[in-house]
Structure formats: structure tokens, C-alpha cells
């Protein structure tokens, strides 16, 4: 094992991944098709303060999402992704504010990130995906920031405006973080910058998804070694949101998994819960996992991290709809942790998302949600987590807002018994571009 990687997710730990009553989210009913829906959204993040609280600006909360025209084949959305913003007075009904950038963003397209509300200034961290000056689509990825945003009340809403200054924050160093040229893996990652101020030290950090070279001595074969996902980190010695220095990875998944996506941290009872999303098809040979939210816990930000629940699996989709949601992001609310995600391929139970491309265009479109999923509720206790239900749609409750009593039946139990479980006693349908409501 490399001694400069904070902790490793081992093959033995990952071999214990299994669907259980306490890690399966309930089935989400298919949305009603809404012909007015002209945009698909997926990876979503909330505007948050330096301290990590969900920002409230003139009584509104703000969410940013990757988006693409709904007419596009869902698999092609990554090739044109642009960031839009949405705002809500109550965390239930969301209004589309439109694209955040009016040209000027770096890369050929923009992938996931985070957003900081700092004393009235908005910083949007994102992934500059592809080389802006290349003719063909390319897959380089560079964490970037757009500084200079402001939020202004418009009478009946909120406008995110800015004389945005875009800047690439850092490049992979080739030692801790693999460059595109070094990569021999099934896919390459250096993306998804996520701002986090450590409450213990007041120090600003940027977490990101990366690949970290695995030495031959690691104890798995050459093919498994090409699976080398990691959670990277940079620090801002000055505290400036635009100045970062790379540090060694917090967690490495060498020989285990290629993609530890959208890393982020929730602090609870002095413990650091580090979450990532990952796919069934990115596990190394002879390991199997699911599309799911995985997590690790440690006593300080740098770790050393241990996988939650022994294996690392925190939330997955039911066996009957294994790809219904993805790109989970957790945030604290009262004594719970809430997890928001997007509604992915709800009507597909193949082995892996790779098989989607084999379906007809119509079928690919029909089976894709392209909106947001009901918020999942998680009970967290030490090294263990438990799914305790969902809210009635994609909900971001107001600070301190009480939630209904959690459903102690543990919704996953019925799913495992092969009985489909709805969201509460009602269905879920798309009511606005980022919301859903019960019928
Ligand atoms: C996860 C993800 C992110 C990336 C985005 C691109 O859903 O793979 O890591 O930024 O999708 O669309």
C-alpha cells in the first residue's frame, strides 16, 4: 500500500457489499411525461456557506444542476452539460433561473462541482471538461472556479448574476493524481471539486474525484491495478476560495473501483463522514457492487477513514430498479443526514449502465428520469448508517424544519422481499424542472 494515501478501501471490505434492508432506498414511481419539460437535470448541489449550512438568500435556497436538452439521448448529455440554477422559497417548489454562465465557462462543457456563498459573493466550482480549443470532444478534466457572482432579488425570485472570472485551479501532478496521459483505466477522472471548511481547524479544503497510480506491490493483478479511483484533496493556505495546493489523497480504491464520484463530507458528533457515489460497472474484476452511495468515517478530516457498515455501502437502489437514482449528495439536517440525488434509468434492470446504449433511442429516452429523486433519510450512528425512509419528493427542508416521524419499518425490508414500495403512500411525479410532488 502507498504510505502517502490516507486510507485504502480494500478488496476484502468491498467483497462484503450486499443489499440489505437498511441500505436499500424505496422504489420511485415513474414520472408522468410532461411535454413542457425541455431540460433534463442530473448532478445537483446546493449553495452553501463557508460553514457548510445551506445558504438562505432573501428567504430562498439555491440549487445548481448539470442540465442538457431533454430531446438529447440521455447518454449524450455529458457531452453538452451546462450548469443551471434553481431557487425555492420553501425547499419544495423550485423555479428554473436558467443557465448560470452566459458563455465564458472553461472547457468544452461543464461537469459537477459545488457552490460557496461567502459574504454575499458566489463562487461556483465546476469541472472544466474537455479542451476548450479542441475540435473533437476530449476528456481532460480540470477543477475550475467562477468567482464574482452575486444574487439579487427580482421581486418574484432571485437572479444569479456575475461578471464571472473563470480560472483553472490545479492540474494533476502525476504522482498523487494520475494525468490523462498516464491513465490506463476504463475511464479517467479528475473532477467534481467540492468546497469544505473543516470546523476543527477553520481551514478551507477542496475535495475532488481522482485516480491515483497503484504500485505493483499492491497485491492485485495488473488489470485490477488499473482500477484506481481516489478521493483527492487540496487546501487553501490563505483561506482564499481561489487559491489551492494539492495534498495526498484521503482515500484510495486501488484494485477496487475506478470512480469515487462527487466526494463530500458531513460532520456529525465530531466524526467526519466522507461520501462518494459509484457504479456497478466501475468495480475491479471479481468484485461486484451496485450503483450506490458509499461512505467512510474518521475522527478527523485527513482520516484514517474506515468504510461505513464494514463494506462502505450506504444507500443503493432496489434490485428491481437498480439504476433508478444516482449521484447522491448528503447534507445534515437536525439529527438526520438527508441525501438528494437524481432520477436516472428507472425502468432498466440489466447488469450495468453500459448496456443502455444497446437500446433503441426511444427506449433510452423513455426509461430515463432526467429529474430529481425523492430525498432519502439516513440515520447515522458511529460506523453504521440506516435508510429510514424518503421525503415526498426532492426536498431541501428549511433550517431546523421538523420532519415527519421516520418510518421504522425500514423501507428496504419490503423491497428485499420483492414487494415494490412506493414513496410514502403516494406516487412521485415530475411537477417542475427539479421537483416532484405526491399525487
Ligand atoms: C456523476 C458524474 C460526475 C460528473 C458528471 C458528468 O454523475 O460522472 O462525476 O461530473 O457525472 O455528467
Amino acid at each position: 500500500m502507498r504510505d502517502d494515501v490516507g486510507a485504502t478501501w480494500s478488496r476484502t471490505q468491498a467483497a462484503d457489499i450486499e443489499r440489505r434492508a437498511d441500505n436499500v432506498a424505496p422504489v420511485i414511481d415513474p414520472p408522468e411525461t410532461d411535454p413542457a419539460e425541455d431540460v433534463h437535470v442530473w448532478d445537483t448541489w446546493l449553495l452553501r456557506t463557508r460553514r457548510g449550512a445551506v445558504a438562505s438568500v432573501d428567504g430562498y435556497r439555491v440549487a445548481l444542476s448539470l442540465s442538457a436538452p431533454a430531446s438529447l439521448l440521455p447518454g449524450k448529455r455529458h457531452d453538452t452539460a451546462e450548469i443551471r440554477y434553481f431557487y425555492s422559497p420553501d425547499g419544495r417548489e423550485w423555479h428554473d433561473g436558467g443557465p448560470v454562465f452566459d458563455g465564458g465557462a472553461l472547457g468544452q462543457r461543464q461537469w459537477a462541482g459545488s457552490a460557496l456563498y461567502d459574504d454575499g459573493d458566489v463562487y461556483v466550482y465546476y469541472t472544466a471538461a474537455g479542451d476548450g480549443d479542441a475540435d473533437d470532444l476530449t476528456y481532460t478534466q480540470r477543477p475550475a472556479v467562477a468567482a464574482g457572482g452575486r444574487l439579487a432579488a427580482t421581486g418574484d425570485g432571485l437572479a444569479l448574476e456575475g461578471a464571472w472570472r473563470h480560472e483553472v485551479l490545479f492540474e494533476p501532478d502525476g504522482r498523487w493524481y494520475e494525468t490523462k496521459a498516464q491513465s490506463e483505466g476504463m475511464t479517467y477522472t479528475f473532477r467534481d471539486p467540492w468546497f469544505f471548511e473543516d470546523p476543527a481547524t477553520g481551514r478551507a479544503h477542496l475535495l475532488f474525484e481522482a485516480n491515483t497510480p497503484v504500485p505493483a506491490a499492491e497485491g492485485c493483478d495488473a488489470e485490477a491495478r488499473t482500477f484506481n479511483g481516489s478521493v483527492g484533496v487540496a487546501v487553501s493556505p490563505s483561506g482564499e476560495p481561489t487559491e489551492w495546493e494539492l495534498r495526498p489523497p484521503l482515500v484510495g480504491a486501488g484494485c477496487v473501483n475506478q470512480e469515487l464520484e462527487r466526494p463530500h463530507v458531513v460532520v456529525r458528533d465530531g466524526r467526519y463522514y466522507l461520501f462518494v457515489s459509484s457504479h456497478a460497472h466501475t468495480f475491479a474484476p471479481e468484485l461486484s457492487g451496485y450503483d450506490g452511495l458509499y461512505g467512510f468515517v474518521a475522527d478527523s478530516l485527513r482520516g484514517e477513514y474506515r468504510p461505513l457498515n464494514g463494506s462502505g455501502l450506504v444507500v443503493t437502489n432496489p434490485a428491481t430498479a437498480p439504476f433508478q437514482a444516482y449521484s447522491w449528495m448528503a447534507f445534515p439536517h437536525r439529527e438526520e443526514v438527508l441525501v438528494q440525488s437524481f432520477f436516472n434509468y428507472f425502468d432498466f434492470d440489466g447488469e450495468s449502465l453500459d448496456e443502455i446504449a444497446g437500446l433503441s433511442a426511444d427506449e433510452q429516452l423513455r426509461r430515463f428520469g432526467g429529474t430529481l429523486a425523492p430525498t432519502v433519510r439516513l440515520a447515522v450512528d458511529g460506523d453504521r448508517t440506516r435508510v429510514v425512509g424518503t421525503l415526498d419528493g426532492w426536498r431541501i427542508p428549511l433550517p431546523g424544519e421538523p420532519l415527519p416521524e421516520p418510518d421504522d419499518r425500514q423501507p428496504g425490508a419490503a423491497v428485499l422481499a420483492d414487494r415494490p414500495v412506493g414513496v410514502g403512500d403516494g406516487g412521485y411525479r415530475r411537477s417542475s424542472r427539479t421537483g416532484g410532488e405526491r399525487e
Side-chain angles (χ1 to χ4, degrees):
M1 181 179 121
R2 292 177 60 136
D3 55 11
D4 52 358
V5 173
T8 40
W9 188 12
S10 74
R11 285 177 68 89
T12 313
Q13 291 159 342
D16 281 343
I17 292 169
E18 76 176 323
R19 273 198 182 86
R20 294 195 336 213
D22 56 7
N23 60 30
V24 176
V27 164
I28 307 169
D29 290 339
E32 276 176 7
T33 311
D34 178 352
E37 213 63 58
D38 53 6
V39 174
H40 278 156
V41 295
W42 62 105
D43 293 14
T44 295
W45 56 97
L46 304 168
L47 180 68
R48 294 170 70 162
T49 66
R50 252 182 197 268
R51 293 277 146 81
V54 179
S56 177
V57 184
D58 280 331
Y60 290 100
R61 16 212 50 216
V62 179
L64 291 84
S65 300
L66 299 187
S67 69
S71 53
L72 209 64
L73 267 190
K76 294 275 175 217
R77 69 189 193 279
H78 308 287
D79 301 349
T80 65
E82 75 172 342
I83 301 170
R84 301 175 85 83
Y85 73 100
F86 300 83
Y87 54 88
S88 170
D90 57 5
R92 304 175 73 84
E93 284 299 313
W94 292 82
H95 306 277
D96 185 355
V100 173
F101 307 124
D102 185 14
L106 302 173
Q108 296 171 326
R109 55 214 189 270
Q110 290 74 48
W111 287 357
S114 56
L116 168 67
Y117 189 58
D118 190 27
D119 221 5
D121 292 321
V122 178
Y123 295 85
V124 177
Y125 296 96
Y126 65 93
T127 308
D131 298 301
D133 46 11
D135 293 335
D136 297 332
L137 207 60
T138 64
Y139 290 89
T140 50
Q141 294 152 47
R142 293 167 300 161
V145 70
R150 307 288 297 186
L151 281 158
T154 57
D156 61 349
L158 213 55
L160 176 54
E161 300 160 339
W164 297 106
R165 300 182 302 280
H166 295 266
E167 191 187 328
V168 167
L169 297 174
F170 41 77
E171 305 270 354
D173 62 342
R175 181 166 64 111
W176 294 329
Y177 302 111
E178 206 164 70
T179 62
K180 176 86 180 69
Q182 274 175 298
S183 168
E184 294 175 350
M186 56 182 301
T187 174
Y188 174 70
T189 75
F190 193 67
R191 61 180 184 243
D192 301 354
W194 188 79
F195 182 94
F196 175 70
E197 188 183 86
D198 184 351
T201 60
R203 214 161 201 220
H205 294 76
L206 210 59
L207 271 57
F208 55 90
E209 172 183 3
N211 297 117
T212 295
V214 179
E218 194 69 27
C220 67
D221 64 28
E223 193 196 347
R225 281 202 303 278
T226 67
F227 290 77
N228 61 2
S230 64
V231 174
V233 66
V235 297
S236 170
S238 65
E240 269 302 306
T242 53
E243 288 173 10
W244 300 98
E245 290 177 6
L246 289 178
R247 292 289 183 269
L250 297 180
V251 171
C255 309
V256 171
N257 194 305
Q258 179 69 357
E259 291 193 332
L260 305 189
E261 309 221 80
R262 303 193 68 205
H264 59 284
V265 168
V266 173
V267 181
R268 281 261 103 154
D269 302 329
R271 295 192 188 88
Y272 292 69
Y273 291 89
L274 168 61
F275 295 104
V276 296
S277 289
S278 198
H279 289 292
H281 70 265
T282 55
F283 279 90
E286 285 146 43
L287 285 177
S288 58
Y290 313 113
D291 278 38
L293 177 74
Y294 294 84
F296 306 85
V297 60
D299 299 331
S300 71
L301 178 61
R302 276 223 61 91
E304 183 169 334
Y305 285 93
R306 315 175 284 280
L308 285 166
N309 309 312
S311 70
L313 182 61
V314 173
V315 180
T316 188
N317 295 315
T320 48
F323 303 102
Q324 70 171 8
Y326 191 65
S327 210
W328 293 265
M329 187 155 267
F331 57 98
H333 182 75
R334 294 172 68 112
E335 62 287 346
E336 291 180 40
V337 169
L338 299 180
V339 186
Q340 59 92 6
S341 65
F342 80 96
F343 197 25
N344 201 9
Y345 291 96
F346 55 86
D347 186 6
F348 176 70
D349 62 0
E351 283 291 303
S352 131
L353 280 181
D354 281 346
E355 294 169 22
I356 295 279
L359 300 172
S360 72
D362 281 354
E363 278 300 299
Q364 292 182 44
L365 279 163
R366 183 185 68 74
R367 292 161 188 249
F368 182 64
T371 185
L372 300 184
T375 302
V376 174
R377 303 172 68 172
L378 207 60
V380 172
D381 182 16
D383 286 23
R384 311 223 63 98
T385 62
R386 187 163 64 96
V387 171
V388 293
T390 48
L391 299 179
D392 60 347
W394 193 80
R395 303 280 175 254
I396 311 299
L398 301 175
E401 185 180 326
L403 302 178
E405 273 299 298
D407 182 355
D408 250 341
R409 282 182 307 135
Q410 294 188 9
V415 173
L416 285 177
D418 223 5
R419 271 183 287 124
V421 177
V423 178
D425 54 356
Y428 170 71
R429 73 180 169 86
R430 195 156 30 169
S431 71
S432 73
R433 279 175 193 161
T434 65
E437 68 183 19
R438 284 161 80 160
E439 296 176 290

